[in-house]
Amino acid sequence: MTEGLNRRQSVRVTDRVMLAVHPVSAEKMQAVVNDFQQGISPYNQEGLADIQMFIGAQSALANLRERDADLADFLQHLDNKMNMMLKQVKGGESPLDALIMRKANLSANGIAFCSDAPARLDEIVEIHVVLLPAYIYVYSFGKVIACDPAPEESESDCKFRVALEFDFLLDEDREKIIQHTFKQQSLALRNRRLNP
């Protein structure tokens, strides 16, 4: 049973995701873990509501777009306008502002991505990942397990390849990542069959 679970968690896929990674103290991660053990979701932290609202709206729009593209486009424009107005009223940055579309190698055990700045080995980081196109938001903490110069054939803005291992990831979020990786692999296989 454990071997099958480990295999499911180890399935990797290279994909484009929205990603934000920030170094944090071990104390911050421990505080979130302690809150979780007391029944408080890690998603209840200050600032994460912005991301959850945005992701929820994008997910609903993606579902609507399949049925009525024109209505979805109209609502997307309204949502963008409201977000701009809220940003002007609230001022400051939210975690949403840090999300950047990146190519990443992802599994339920960790994530690797290109970065223009190096990361310290064993550094604790806060991770925000949005899996596309379904707009699934995953919040976690991880540890830097590798930071190497990027291969020469990498994209121009890629100076370092950073690899993170998930240290704190909810079981339901791990399952979301597993489902996403299997779905992406299935799509890639189907595309290969259709376009030999």
Side-chain angles (χ1 to χ4, degrees), residues 110-185:
I111 187 168
F113 57 93
C114 282
S115 174
D116 59 352
R120 284 184 301 116
L121 285 180
D122 296 324
E123 183 173 43
I124 302 294
V125 294
E126 181 179 57
I127 306 165
H128 302 270
V129 180
V130 179
L131 306 173
L132 301 171
Y135 284 92
I136 296 168
Y137 174 54
V138 174
Y139 174 75
S140 66
F141 290 94
K143 178 172 59 173
V144 177
I145 58 171
C147 180
D148 302 309
E152 288 187 24
E153 67 273 2
S154 297
E155 299 167 13
S156 61
D157 60 344
C158 181
K159 295 181 181 142
F160 300 93
R161 184 179 182 279
V162 178
L164 308 174
E165 176 181 72
F166 293 125
D167 266 3
F168 177 72
L169 178 66
L170 298 180
D171 288 340
E172 55 263 29
D173 289 338
R174 189 175 307 279
E175 188 59 32
K176 289 175 189 174
I177 293 172
I178 289 170
Q179 294 299 321
H180 178 78
T181 57
F182 278 113
K183 189 175 192 178
Q184 293 305 105
Q185 280 193 341

Side-chain angles (χ1 to χ4, degrees), residues 6-180:
N6 287 340
R7 260 188 282 172
R8 286 181 78 229
Q9 289 181 182
S10 298
V11 172
R12 300 192 78 75
V13 67
T14 299
D15 196 9
R16 291 186 53 81
V17 298
M18 294 175 72
L19 178 67
V21 176
H22 307 287
V24 294
S25 66
E27 291 78 21
K28 168 154 184 185
M29 182 179 84
Q30 193 57 51
V32 171
V33 170
N34 291 343
D35 283 348
F36 176 68
Q37 291 170 343
Q38 299 298 317
I40 300 169
S41 170
Y43 291 96
N44 287 346
Q45 293 181 73
E46 185 178 339
L48 297 188
D50 290 349
I51 294 178
Q52 289 178 300
M53 255 190 311
F54 172 78
I55 298 308
Q58 295 306 309
S59 179
L61 286 168
N63 289 336
L64 178 61
R65 190 164 276 113
E66 293 173 9
R67 290 175 292 190
D68 190 338
D70 290 336
L71 179 59
D73 286 342
F74 174 72
L75 293 174
Q76 178 70 63
H77 291 299
L78 283 179
D79 185 56
N80 291 342
K81 189 172 186 175
M82 287 176 53
N83 286 333
M84 284 176 39
M85 290 169 52
L86 281 172
K87 189 172 182 176
Q88 289 176 348
V89 170
K90 282 174 71 176
E93 286 193 14
S94 78
L96 185 60
D97 297 327
L99 287 170
I100 298 171
M101 184 74 78
R102 294 184 193 204
K103 188 167 149 182
N105 188 269
L106 177 70
S107 79
N109 291 325
I111 187 168
F113 57 93
C114 282
S115 174
D116 59 352
R120 284 184 301 116
L121 285 180
D122 296 324
E123 183 173 43
I124 302 294
V125 294
E126 181 179 57
I127 306 165
H128 302 270
V129 180
V130 179
L131 306 173
L132 301 171
Y135 284 92
I136 296 168
Y137 174 54
V138 174
Y139 174 75
S140 66
F141 290 94
K143 178 172 59 173
V144 177
I145 58 171
C147 180
D148 302 309
E152 288 187 24
E153 67 273 2
S154 297
E155 299 167 13
S156 61
D157 60 344
C158 181
K159 295 181 181 142
F160 300 93
R161 184 179 182 279
V162 178
L164 308 174
E165 176 181 72
F166 293 125
D167 266 3
F168 177 72
L169 178 66
L170 298 180
D171 288 340
E172 55 263 29
D173 289 338
R174 189 175 307 279
E175 188 59 32
K176 289 175 189 174
I177 293 172
I178 289 170
Q179 294 299 321
H180 178 78

